């Protein structure tokens, strides 16, 4: 934390951990996990570590911090497994984020944040913050939306604020078109209730959950958004520089975490196109509480013998199964 600003997104957790001295607190667990990751990287001493340290220190939001943490946790996993690597060069020739020294492989890391319901809640909280008397707004979707488009969120926020100002309590159901999604229609139930005793003003709550086979459309959308990263031109340039695995941090890609890791590996292998320049795609679901992370990896069926040997060696070193 040296040389970080006072508003660094980890600062409050770090200071709380130091002040409380309680190892079971969230702040202490978060800080200890970061310290474990950083300790593994410091011990391995990969090249370009100073660049990653700089990105960590320059983080302004929690999203910024989690983006660099994805790269750090992947590097720490390699370090603990004894796989020599370096961080790729920044602002120079295209290189993957992690370049293995003894195995002809690179790993390009992408953190994918998609949470339509959370975005809507945050925007509603902001819009209702100054309205008095406070109300309770209850959002209940009939399925879990991976994405709610910005214009739709703006419309829902505007209509909800108007209802609150006019005292129009009760529940209104809004139908949202999702032509891009596995489920083409989303029903949003927006309930507004009196809550004069709320200590912090307006509050927005949600009821989440799946019914029957409901998780599957949501996970199909998550798959599609993860696979869409394969078309990122910057990522493609990295993959064209050397045999490269695309590793997607999907902890905040909707509820991707509800699918078992082995199923993710099977689905990725099934869906990965033979024409992609990446030799494989992996999903990891890191947690702020845990300095390590599991990886679900699927590889192309048409790998060359050299690429297959490299993948098998990495999988063996990281103890990945089902590759």
């Amino acid at each position: 934390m040296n040389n970080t600003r006072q508003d660094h997104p980890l600062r409050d957790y770090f200071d709380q951990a130091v002040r409380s001295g309680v190892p079971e607190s969230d702040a202490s667990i978060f800080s200890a996990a970061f310290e474990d990751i950083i300790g593994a990287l410091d011990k391995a001493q990969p090249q370009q570590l100073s660049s990653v340290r700089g990105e960590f220190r320059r983080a302004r939001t929690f999203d910024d911090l989690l983006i660099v943490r994805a790269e750090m946790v992947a590097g720490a996993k390699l370090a603990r497994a004894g796989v020599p690597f370096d961080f790729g060069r920044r602002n120079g020739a295209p290189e993957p984020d992690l370049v293995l020294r003894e195995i002809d492989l690179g790993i390009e890391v992408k953190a994918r944040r998609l949470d339509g319901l959370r975005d809507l809640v945050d925007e509603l909280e902001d819009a209702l913050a100054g309205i008095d008397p406070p109300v309770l707004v209850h959002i209940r979707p009939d399925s879990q939306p991976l994405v709610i488009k910005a214009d739709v969120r703006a419309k829902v926020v505007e209509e909800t604020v108007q209802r609150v100002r006019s005292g129009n309590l009760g529940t209104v159901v809004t139908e949202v078109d999702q032509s891009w999604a596995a489920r083409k229609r989303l029903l949003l139930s927006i309930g507004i209730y009196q809550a004069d005793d709320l200590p912090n003003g307006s509050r927005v709550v949600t009821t989440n959950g799946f019914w029957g086979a409901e998780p599957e459309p949501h996970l199909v959308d998550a798959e599609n958004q993860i696979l869409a990263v394969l078309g990122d031109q910057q990522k493609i340039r990295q993959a064209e520089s050397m045999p490269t695995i695309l590793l997607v941090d999907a902890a905040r890609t909707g509820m991707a975490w509800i699918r078992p890791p082995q199923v993710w590996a099977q689905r990725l292998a099934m869906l990965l196109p033979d024409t992609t320049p990446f030799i494989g795609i992996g999903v990891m679901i890191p947690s702020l509480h845990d300095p390590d992370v599991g990886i679900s990896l699927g590889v192309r069926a048409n790998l060359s013998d050299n690429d297959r040997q490299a993948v098998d060696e990495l999988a063996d070193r990281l103890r990945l199964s089902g590759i």
Side-chain angles (χ1 to χ4, degrees):
M1 296 297 293
N2 288 341
N3 302 320
T4 61
R5 294 160 50 111
Q6 284 302 310
D7 61 353
H8 188 276
L10 192 61
R11 173 67 63 181
D12 285 346
Y13 291 103
F14 182 81
D15 291 345
Q16 287 173 31
V18 171
R19 285 196 304 267
S20 73
V22 179
E24 295 82 11
S25 71
D26 279 345
S28 295
I29 294 171
F30 291 173
S31 299
F34 267 104
E35 187 161 351
D36 190 305
I37 293 167
I38 293 168
L41 295 175
D42 277 340
K43 185 176 180 180
Q45 282 298 299
Q47 293 183 19
Q48 309 301 329
L49 178 57
S50 60
S51 296
V52 177
R53 184 183 293 113
E55 291 178 10
F56 172 87
R57 288 175 173 167
R58 289 190 297 272
R60 292 290 178 266
T61 67
F62 216 72
D63 276 353
D64 293 339
L65 182 64
L66 293 183
I67 289 170
V68 68
R69 189 184 191 277
E71 194 172 330
M72 292 167 62
V73 76
K77 187 173 187 68
L78 293 173
R80 292 189 200 96
V83 179
F85 75 98
D86 296 307
F87 288 106
R89 289 172 291 175
R90 269 64 171 166
N91 304 318
E95 276 188 343
D97 293 318
L98 306 166
V99 179
L100 279 55
R101 294 180 194 163
E102 298 175 356
I103 307 174
D104 186 21
L105 272 180
I107 300 174
E108 180 68 15
V109 181
K110 169 70 174 181
R112 198 86 215 254
R113 183 205 176 277
L114 293 168
D115 191 340
L117 204 55
R118 182 72 259 163
D119 293 338
L120 178 59
V121 168
D122 290 344
E123 291 172 16
L124 266 174
E125 289 277 14
D126 290 342
L128 296 171
I131 296 180
D132 199 45
V135 296
L136 176 68
V137 176
H138 182 193
I139 304 175
R140 186 176 186 270
D142 70 334
S143 65
Q144 188 73 17
L146 184 65
V147 175
I148 300 177
K149 301 292 187 182
D151 59 334
V152 174
R153 298 198 309 269
K155 183 173 183 290
V156 171
V157 169
E158 180 183 3
E159 292 175 349
T160 304
V161 169
Q162 288 177 352
R163 289 175 58 202
V164 171
R165 291 190 185 280
S166 63
N168 183 12
L169 304 182
T171 299
V172 171
V173 177
T174 298
E175 182 173 325
V176 177
D177 175 68
Q178 295 189 127
S179 56
W180 58 271
R183 247 178 141 260
K184 305 304 180 187
R185 185 194 69 164
L186 171 69
L187 295 180
L188 281 176
S189 172
I190 310 290
I192 302 175
Y193 308 96
Q194 289 181 338
D196 296 336
D197 59 343
L198 286 178
N200 299 317
S202 299
R203 182 179 299 169
V204 182
V205 298
T206 61
T207 298
N208 299 319
F210 295 109
W211 300 272
E214 193 57 42
E216 195 54 36
H218 179 79
L219 291 173
V220 169
D221 292 339
E223 287 176 353
N224 290 337
Q225 292 300 317
I226 289 169
L227 290 166
V229 183
L230 295 169
D232 185 311
Q233 290 302 311
Q234 180 181 357
K235 303 298 184 189
I236 288 174
R237 286 193 293 272
Q238 318 290 24
E240 290 173 342
S241 67
M242 66 183 302
T244 300
I245 292 169
L246 176 64
L247 180 58
V248 180
D249 174 352
R252 298 176 299 151
T253 306
M255 299 179 73
W257 50 267
I258 68 175
R259 172 177 280 172
Q262 188 61 33
V263 178
W264 265 118
Q266 293 167 355
R267 291 291 295 171
L268 293 171
M270 182 186 306
L271 296 170
L272 185 63
D274 290 342
T275 55
T276 178
F278 293 93
I279 66 173
I281 182 170
V283 162
M284 62 178 180
I285 313 286
S287 164
L288 284 174
H289 293 83
D290 192 343
D292 198 7
V293 66
I295 294 176
S296 302
L297 178 62
V299 299
R300 287 200 328 250
N302 60 342
L303 291 185
S304 68
D305 291 342
N306 287 340
D307 288 346
R308 167 54 70 180
Q309 182 178 352
V311 168
D312 287 346
E313 183 174 352
L314 178 63
D316 181 63
R317 300 280 288 274
L318 296 183
R319 297 183 180 179
L320 306 182
S321 60
I323 308 302

